Amino acid sequence: MNAASEALLRLLVDGQFHSGEVIGNRLKISRTAVWKKLQALSDYGLEVESVKGKGYRLLTPLEFLDKEIIVDHLGRKVKGLLSELEVLTVVDSTNSYLMSRIGHDKANGRVCFAEYQAGGRGRRGREWVSPLGNIALSLSWEFEQGAASLEGLSLAVGVGVVQALADQGVDSVQLKWPNDILVRSAKLGGILIEMTGDPTGRCQVVIGIGLNTVISPLQDVIEQPYIALSQISDDYSRNKLAASLLNHLLPIVATFSEEGFVKYRSTWESVDAYRDKKVVVISGQQRSEGVARGVNEVGALQLDIGNELSAIHGGELSLRLSDDP
């Protein structure tokens, strides 16, 4: 997105009508150029309404993320954990962006938000569709004891996301093991954790979080039920939500090496979407069926198979209800 397109978008974010003449004068471009740039906004998942005699407007008003507003809503201790905060307009992936910075800068407390991700990623190499206006957040941290000490981190992060949403009046949020965020059985968001460095020693971790805040035509390709905050609440602020996420997530990440997942276990189980339900765990060609019985002290799924509990640890696997296709 070039500077003129971003200026156009910032003019339209109020959701009000603006005439082509006014837009052209403000941006110092021709009416034809205005039309082309309006058409190009669809590439970012935005819908523009055109009404003769009134002009153009975004069908859904947009609140741009603002670094100063986010920082103003951070707690004092959280500000001390934050080493850098960036708000980007367009990026390939916030996770990829921070991963590329590791080795050049200290990992602890680097945070990146993006208005739009051109190549967002989910678990198992899947695409994460992230139209402009959603929450795309990544933060990085360094750990001293390798991958083994990080077990359960994605679940603890999920607890922090639920608490941040509750702070903004979004209730009835549930978690699906190991890293999906659900409302009304539909996917509101997800968590992706990536690691580099020594798997048995000092390593750097990037935690990515995506939340659907708007519904966009770009999401028509999603092959599972999903939901957006705009369908749940009309009284939330993207900037305040961004700050709430950092207020909860940075302390979790900063203390996880010492406290582990056990501190968050009971809270996670209280919002477990699949608790006591018949499920299938699929890993490659292997299928395990049983009843989900929560998680153990390190965050492994406890699968009840014939009245015997089996601990299922995270990895390249899929969890679904037994009656799902």
Side-chain angles (χ1 to χ4, degrees):
M1 179 179 290
N2 60 30
S5 294
E6 183 174 347
L8 169 62
L9 184 55
R10 289 186 180 275
L11 183 62
L12 296 175
V13 291
D14 59 7
Q16 302 300 310
F17 280 104
H18 300 267
S19 72
E21 181 180 2
V22 169
I23 294 172
N25 290 338
R26 287 281 297 273
L27 302 184
K28 296 181 173 56
I29 57 177
S30 68
R31 293 283 296 273
T32 300
V34 168
W35 173 249
K36 289 181 178 179
K37 291 188 180 301
L38 286 166
Q39 295 296 102
L41 291 181
S42 62
D43 294 341
Y44 301 96
L46 300 172
E47 295 183 280
V48 177
E49 180 182 17
S50 173
V51 176
K52 189 174 181 179
K54 288 187 175 182
Y56 309 95
R57 69 169 182 173
L58 285 180
L59 282 178
T60 303
L62 174 65
E63 177 192 2
F64 265 97
L65 294 175
D66 186 302
K67 178 179 176 178
E68 291 186 4
I69 296 175
I70 295 171
V71 172
D72 283 346
H73 285 84
L74 296 181
R76 181 177 58 83
K77 291 183 178 180
V78 172
K79 289 180 181 178
L81 297 172
L82 182 68
S83 63
E84 183 174 354
L85 171 61
E86 294 182 88
V87 177
L88 307 176
T89 303
V90 177
V91 71
D92 177 39
S93 154
T94 54
N95 261 33
S96 294
Y97 178 77
L98 285 192
M99 289 290 284
S100 71
R101 303 293 297 274
I102 289 174
H104 303 285
D105 305 287
K106 184 175 177 59
N108 285 4
R110 288 184 56 84
V111 173
C112 173
F113 287 93
E115 297 289 358
Y116 174 79
Q117 290 188 117
R121 305 193 313 280
R123 287 181 65 244
R124 302 163 64 208
R126 292 176 175 171
E127 178 186 10
W128 179 263
V129 181
S130 183
L132 199 148
N134 279 359
I135 292 287
L137 156 68
S138 292
L139 67 92
S140 62
W141 206 267
E142 188 167 274
F143 293 87
E144 298 290 338
Q145 299 171 327
S149 67
L150 303 178
E151 191 165 13
L153 177 59
S154 66
L155 279 70
V157 168
V159 169
V161 173
V162 171
Q163 293 170 336
L165 288 165
D167 285 351
Q168 300 304 309
V170 183
D171 299 317
S172 303
V173 181
Q174 293 184 297
L175 296 173
K176 173 191 167 187
W177 186 90
N179 52 16
D180 283 354
I181 302 152
L182 308 180
V183 172
R184 304 171 194 162
S185 300
K187 190 166 182 176
L188 178 66
I191 299 160
L192 174 66
I193 296 182
E194 297 181 285
M195 187 191 80
T196 188
D198 186 349
T200 62
R202 179 177 294 179
C203 60
Q204 295 77 36
V205 171
V206 173
I207 300 164
I209 297 163
L211 291 175
N212 299 321
T213 61
V214 296
I215 294 296
S216 163
L218 292 184
Q219 294 165 306
D220 291 344
V221 300
I222 299 176
E223 297 179 347
Q224 67 181 100
Y226 66 92
I227 195 167
L229 288 178
S230 60
Q231 298 172 294
I232 304 167
S233 170
D234 56 4
D235 188 31
Y236 74 93
S237 158
R238 285 180 78 220
N239 282 293
K240 290 181 180 179
L241 175 57
S244 290
L245 286 166
L246 298 185
N247 278 328
H248 287 279
L249 296 177
L250 281 168
I252 287 173
V253 174
T255 60
F256 192 81
S257 290
E258 294 75 32
E259 297 177 337
F261 173 69
V262 67
K263 175 182 178 180
Y264 308 98
R265 180 184 180 186
S266 62
T267 304
W268 194 95
E269 291 194 317
S270 71
V271 292
D272 181 359
Y274 284 7
R275 177 82 183 193
D276 297 328
K277 294 182 178 180
K278 293 181 180 180
V279 298
V280 178
V281 178
I282 303 172
S283 178
Q285 300 299 313
Q286 183 176 352
R287 294 170 58 94
S288 301
E289 296 191 43
V291 178
R293 301 296 189 191
V295 293
N296 65 15
E297 64 279 0
V298 296
L301 175 69
Q302 297 189 117
L303 187 63
D304 184 343
I305 305 175
N307 293 321
E308 290 189 11
L309 289 182
S310 177
I312 307 294
H313 296 266
E316 296 300 309
L317 50 78
S318 172
L319 173 69
R320 63 185 63 174
L321 296 172
S322 291
D323 55 1
D324 281 353

